[in-house]
Amino acid sequence: MRLNQLFTIHLLWLSILFVPATAMAQVQKPPQQKPKTDTLKSVSDDFFTLPADTILPGQKHPFTESQRREGDNKRYLKRAVIPAAVLIGAGVYTMGGHGILNSDDVFNYRHRVFPKFATNADDFAMLAPLVGLYGFNIISSQNRHELGRQTLLLVSSGALASAIVWPTKKLTDRDRPNGKPYAFPSGHTAYAFTIATFMDKEFRHKSPWVSVVSYGIAGGTGVLRVLNDAHWLSDVLAGAGVGILSVNTVYWIHAKLTQGGGLNTAMYPVVLPNGQMGMAMSYTF
């Protein structure tokens, strides 16, 4: 009798251990493969959860070491402040007829050699690199930022250039060679160099020729402004300095906020309080 009781107790003890283990095995079944119809949804979900500036499949490491150092103060001083100060200072200096080649000399040369020169090309030439910008985004995976952020950086650079150019025009109140007001600095040239510097920032690592062509178009815009009798040499020099300074300043601030990378953003699906599906976005510095 005592043996039967002992056997029964051991049987109950084993059953207590065995039942949870069996239940757990049933719960932890191997995951089933998703049907093929869910493949597109899975890829879409993975895409939305990628942080901004993640290197997507096929992309060739768009961030170079020099680009990650964009927020370095000495680098900003060397590549932005000093070149811009030299160009703007040269513009102010040549304004008064000083220097070996000053604004008056260029004005006289233009009227002697190209007295009837006139074209509207300068109104459109400065925008030419933008065609390349969006073209590269379509055919290349080596752009530095995704398209939305590129646009934001470009618009910010243009806004900063405008904030410098237009108040300065009002303050200096200098007449153009053709007699119209508000010559200094040249807005066309400022925007042309804003776009060229932006192209240099985004695609310099892809090919140096992108920078060469972009700056060549910007410089050509400035030359056309002088040949069209719309600006003095001093206006064009100062405008170039404003464009270079504006873009570098925006990228410098952007790098300060992001430590040289991208803004840490992500999008993911959520269930709203009313039970409907929606999208949420997280944003951190």
Side-chain angles (χ1 to χ4, degrees):
M1 186 68 177
R2 292 180 60 188
L3 184 61
N4 290 340
Q5 289 176 348
L6 184 61
F7 178 76
T8 303
I9 290 170
H10 278 287
L11 188 61
L12 290 172
W13 176 78
L14 288 172
S15 67
I16 291 171
L17 292 178
F18 179 75
V19 171
T22 305
M24 186 64 70
Q26 291 177 346
V27 172
Q28 295 180 346
K29 291 180 181 179
Q32 295 182 353
Q33 270 190 325
K34 290 185 178 180
K36 291 183 180 179
T37 53
D38 290 340
T39 303
L40 184 59
K41 183 177 182 300
S42 175
V43 172
S44 175
D45 290 344
D46 290 343
F47 175 80
F48 280 118
T49 55
L50 285 172
D53 287 331
T54 296
I55 298 173
L56 300 173
Q59 210 165 359
K60 297 181 179 179
H61 304 285
F63 291 101
T64 64
E65 181 60 27
S66 63
Q67 290 166 342
R68 291 193 178 280
R69 292 172 50 224
E70 198 77 65
D72 182 73
N73 294 340
K74 289 183 179 179
R75 184 184 180 84
Y76 171 67
L77 179 68
K78 179 181 177 181
R79 297 204 170 189
V81 177
I82 293 177
V86 169
L87 286 168
I88 295 172
V92 173
Y93 183 71
T94 62
M95 187 187 298
H98 304 102
I100 299 174
L101 184 67
N102 57 56
S103 296
D104 293 338
D105 293 335
V106 173
F107 173 78
N108 293 331
Y109 178 82
R110 182 264 175 201
H111 279 274
R112 187 172 65 253
V113 180
F114 305 103
K116 296 182 179 180
F117 185 91
T119 181
N120 293 325
D122 49 347
D123 292 328
F124 309 103
M126 66 177 180
L127 300 176
L130 288 181
V131 178
L133 167 66
Y134 291 101
F136 281 136
N137 278 300
I138 293 171
I139 67 175
S140 173
S141 61
Q142 297 180 18
N143 46 302
R144 182 173 172 185
H145 295 99
E146 49 87 19
L147 185 60
R149 187 167 304 151
Q150 280 183 347
T151 304
L152 178 62
L153 290 168
L154 179 59
V155 170
S156 300
S157 300
L160 180 57
S162 297
I164 298 172
V165 167
W166 297 106
T168 305
K169 281 179 176 289
K170 293 281 187 180
L171 288 172
T172 55
D173 195 21
R174 178 174 166 81
D175 287 340
R176 301 168 188 257
N178 57 17
K180 294 181 180 180
Y182 307 130
F184 185 87
S186 167
H188 278 68
T189 310
Y191 295 132
F193 273 86
T194 295
I195 295 171
T197 307
F198 177 81
M199 290 294 292
D200 174 65
K201 292 286 187 185
E202 287 294 319
F203 294 102
R204 182 195 316 146
H205 61 286
K206 179 179 175 61
S207 171
W209 286 106
V210 175
S211 302
V212 171
V213 172
S214 297
Y215 279 118
I217 292 173
T221 300
V223 171
L224 289 176
R225 296 304 285 167
V226 173
L227 291 176
N228 268 335
D229 220 17
H231 279 289
W232 305 93
L233 174 64
S234 58
D235 309 335
V236 168
L237 291 173
V242 169
I244 293 171
L245 180 64
S246 299
V247 176
N248 278 280
T249 299
V250 167
Y251 274 76
W252 177 63
I253 294 172
H254 179 263
K256 289 288 189 184
L257 293 176
T258 63
Q259 280 91 47
L263 298 176
N264 189 11
T265 59
M267 293 186 69
Y268 43 87
V270 295
V271 178
L272 300 175
N274 60 4
Q276 305 237 344
M277 292 298 296
M279 295 296 297
M281 183 179 75
S282 65
Y283 171 91
T284 56
F285 288 70

